[in-house]
Amino acid sequence: MVSNSVFKNTVLFLVLAIVSCGNSAIKHKDPKTYPTNEATTANRPKEPILTGADNFEKYQSLLSGKKIGIVTNPTSIVNYDGDKQKLSKPHHLVDFLLKNKLDVVKIFAPEHGFRGTADAGELIKDGKDTQTGLPIISLYGNNKKPKPEQLKQIDVMVFDLQDVGARFYTYISSLHYVMEACAEENIPLIVLDRPNPNGSIIDGPILEKEFTSFVGMHPIPVLHGMTIGEYARMINGEKWLKNGVQSQLEVIACTNYKRTMPYSLPVKPSPNLPNDQSINLYASLCLFEGTNVSMGRGTDKQFQIYGSPFLPKSDFSFTPGPNLGAKDPVHNGKVCYGEDLSGIPKVTNLQLKWLIKAFSETSDKKVFFNSFFSKLAGTQKLQQQIESGLPETAIRKSWEKGLNSFKKMRTAYLIYED
């Protein structure tokens, strides 16, 4: 006879199992069990990683008595006070600075907005923060670089955004324009550094100058293997700002951090990067943005799956639909066939095999790529190589010279050990 407690536990288990399988937009005919993607405890730091924002004692004096502008979004989280005591709950940096009687006068918001709810590429409008009453200036759309009048009455600018280490992730493009504007107006810039969750990966073709755009502003590979603070040092040191100006830059470094350490983001960096797996696969799957293939926008597995109506029917399918961060996703309402990568082991380089496979299997190769692909790749060569059937090993071989030069240049700006 089954006891009452066992019966209740069995029922609870079945209910949870049913709920966890309830997403009808993504379908598997032949479910597979994949190895987990959790970091081993052996690689975890003995002391907690503190971000630049957590090291308040290192930048408090730089802000005291100054009128402060801040480039920020929901990833600007503070967990420790100036005495290294953990806060009872995480604070947004803006709230934390105001709580410590510092004079924040203006917020600057990058792509996805201050609250982080806008679609990729969606126009962000100026406004006012409902919680603090502070004015919000958009740094996306037609106003990617702060204007001189928008910087009036600002004595110091703080930059605190969580990057993911990919050239086309536009927060580093916003960093460029903020550095340039501050340099031109003689305003010191403080970058509060944060770990790069893909910090040990350097891979992909180097951006060629003729493909410079907001999704690729500098001659670097797709995955650059630097924190945003290190990257700011490179922008300054290589004189990539307009007319060779240099920012009055101060980087507040992370502590207890090494580049090869696993780092799970406490807040998703943008609406379509909901977890560690999507962040790890982002650079590889984002190349699909330059094709007719969906990488899961409009599902709950963004940047963890790929597929399209033009690929052969298979055991895996999904149907994109409007959701937060994808109001009108590619192939909205259409059944897409492809692959589910949500459970595969962590990748350690830029993966081309899914892109190559999709191109080889698509129903009409002439309409597979669009004009955006070369901007994402930073070169026309990658599309030409794939179209010509060049093996992945040969494609990678063509990157070696550029990657070696970049790695040599990069060493001058590094803050952290591997």
Side-chain angles (χ1 to χ4, degrees):
M1 182 174 180
V2 179
S3 69
N4 189 44
S5 62
V6 172
F7 176 78
K8 288 181 179 179
N9 288 337
T10 303
V11 171
L12 177 60
F13 174 82
L14 290 172
V15 169
L16 291 174
I18 291 169
V19 170
S20 68
C21 297
N23 183 1
S24 60
I26 301 175
K27 298 180 180 180
H28 290 271
K29 291 181 183 177
D30 182 21
K32 296 179 180 178
T33 301
Y34 292 96
T36 61
N37 196 21
E38 295 180 359
T40 61
T41 55
N43 291 328
R44 295 190 183 281
K46 294 179 180 179
E47 298 293 333
I49 294 172
L50 302 184
T51 67
D54 290 332
N55 287 306
F56 183 52
E57 78 285 355
K58 294 183 179 179
Y59 61 92
Q60 181 179 14
S61 62
L62 302 175
L63 302 180
S64 182
K66 308 284 181 63
K67 293 188 179 297
I68 305 162
I70 181 167
V71 182
T72 181
N73 69 4
T75 65
S76 302
I77 296 299
V78 184
N79 288 295
Y80 292 85
D81 64 20
D83 296 321
K84 289 292 189 293
Q85 297 298 311
K86 192 164 187 178
L87 299 169
S88 58
K89 64 178 181 179
H91 285 51
H92 190 282
L93 180 63
V94 170
D95 300 328
F96 179 75
L97 296 181
L98 292 173
K99 182 179 178 181
N100 282 276
K101 310 300 182 184
L102 293 169
D103 191 11
V104 180
V105 297
K106 196 171 291 186
I107 295 168
F108 294 84
E111 184 178 10
H112 305 297
F114 176 46
R115 296 298 173 189
T117 56
D119 283 6
E122 182 179 350
L123 180 65
I124 306 297
K125 297 180 180 179
D126 294 349
K128 182 179 286 190
D129 178 37
T130 56
Q131 294 186 28
T132 63
L134 291 171
I136 300 173
I137 304 298
S138 168
L139 292 183
Y140 200 70
N142 297 324
N143 188 52
K144 294 181 176 68
K145 178 180 175 179
K147 296 178 173 62
E149 58 268 27
Q150 294 170 336
L151 297 175
K152 284 183 178 179
Q153 298 181 330
I154 291 178
D155 300 319
V156 60
M157 183 74 82
V158 175
F159 188 102
D160 185 24
L161 299 176
Q162 177 64 62
D163 188 41
V164 298
R167 184 180 65 217
F168 33 63
Y169 203 62
T170 61
Y171 295 165
I172 58 173
S173 299
S174 294
L175 172 66
H176 172 108
Y177 282 128
V178 170
M179 289 180 68
E180 190 171 278
C182 288
E184 291 170 349
E185 297 301 315
N186 201 32
I187 296 173
L189 175 66
I190 300 170
V191 173
L192 303 182
D193 211 5
R194 291 181 179 271
N196 175 359
N198 292 312
S200 61
I201 310 176
I202 305 169
D203 205 9
I206 303 294
L207 177 96
E208 297 168 4
K209 187 175 181 180
E210 57 266 39
F211 297 101
T212 301
S213 72
F214 197 61
V215 293
M217 298 189 67
H218 308 122
I220 64 169
V222 172
L223 287 155
H224 53 72
M226 305 175 77
T227 67
I228 204 161
E230 292 173 325
Y231 197 82
R233 285 159 53 92
M234 179 181 281
I235 290 174
N236 239 13
E238 295 301 313
K239 296 186 178 181
W240 285 338
L241 302 178
K242 186 178 179 181
N243 298 323
V245 297
Q246 290 181 295
S247 174
Q248 299 176 48
L249 177 67
E250 182 83 28
V251 176
I252 307 300
C254 307
T255 53
N256 307 320
Y257 171 64
K258 292 185 178 180
R259 200 175 314 282
T260 53
M261 285 177 174
Y263 186 71
S264 182
L265 302 189
V267 177
K268 59 184 180 181
S270 50
N272 286 295
L273 292 181
N275 53 34
D276 292 348
Q277 187 76 342
S278 63
I279 291 166
N280 180 237
L281 293 174
Y282 169 72
S284 300
L285 296 190
C286 192
L287 292 172
F288 279 123
E289 299 268 34
T291 73
N292 63 7
V293 176
S294 164
M295 71 304 300
R297 292 187 190 273
T299 74
D300 62 357
K301 288 190 175 181
Q302 306 98 316
F303 290 97
Q304 300 157 80
I305 57 178
Y306 74 89
S308 88
F310 312 113
L311 294 177
K313 289 186 178 181
S314 64
D315 292 338
F316 174 72
S317 67
F318 62 94
T319 305
N323 66 2
L324 182 65
K327 295 175 183 176
D328 186 21
V330 172
H331 305 314
N332 188 3
K334 297 179 181 179
V335 178
C336 296
Y337 297 95
E339 286 190 82
D340 182 358
L341 309 174
S342 61
I344 68 169
K346 183 177 180 179
V347 303
T348 56
N349 61 4
L350 183 69
Q351 294 288 312
L352 294 179
K353 59 186 175 184
W354 304 308
L355 181 66
I356 293 171
K357 179 181 178 182
F359 176 75
S360 69
E361 295 181 348
T362 193
S363 58
D364 187 351
K365 291 178 174 54
K366 293 179 181 178
V367 295
F368 182 81
F369 290 105
N370 60 50
S371 60
F372 192 46
F373 185 82
S374 292
K375 287 187 177 181
L376 290 171
T379 175
Q380 282 185 335
K381 293 176 185 175
L382 182 56
Q383 178 177 339
Q384 294 167 352
Q385 289 168 330
I386 293 172
E387 288 177 331
S388 67
L390 197 67
E392 183 174 350
T393 52
I395 296 175
R396 291 189 176 282
K397 186 73 175 175
S398 71
W399 301 342
E400 284 185 2
K401 183 178 179 181
L403 286 173
N404 288 337
S405 295
F406 172 76
K407 289 175 183 178
K408 185 176 180 180
M409 175 182 71
R410 168 181 172 273
T411 58
Y413 305 108
L414 299 182
I415 299 171
Y416 310 98
E417 298 177 0
D418 289 337

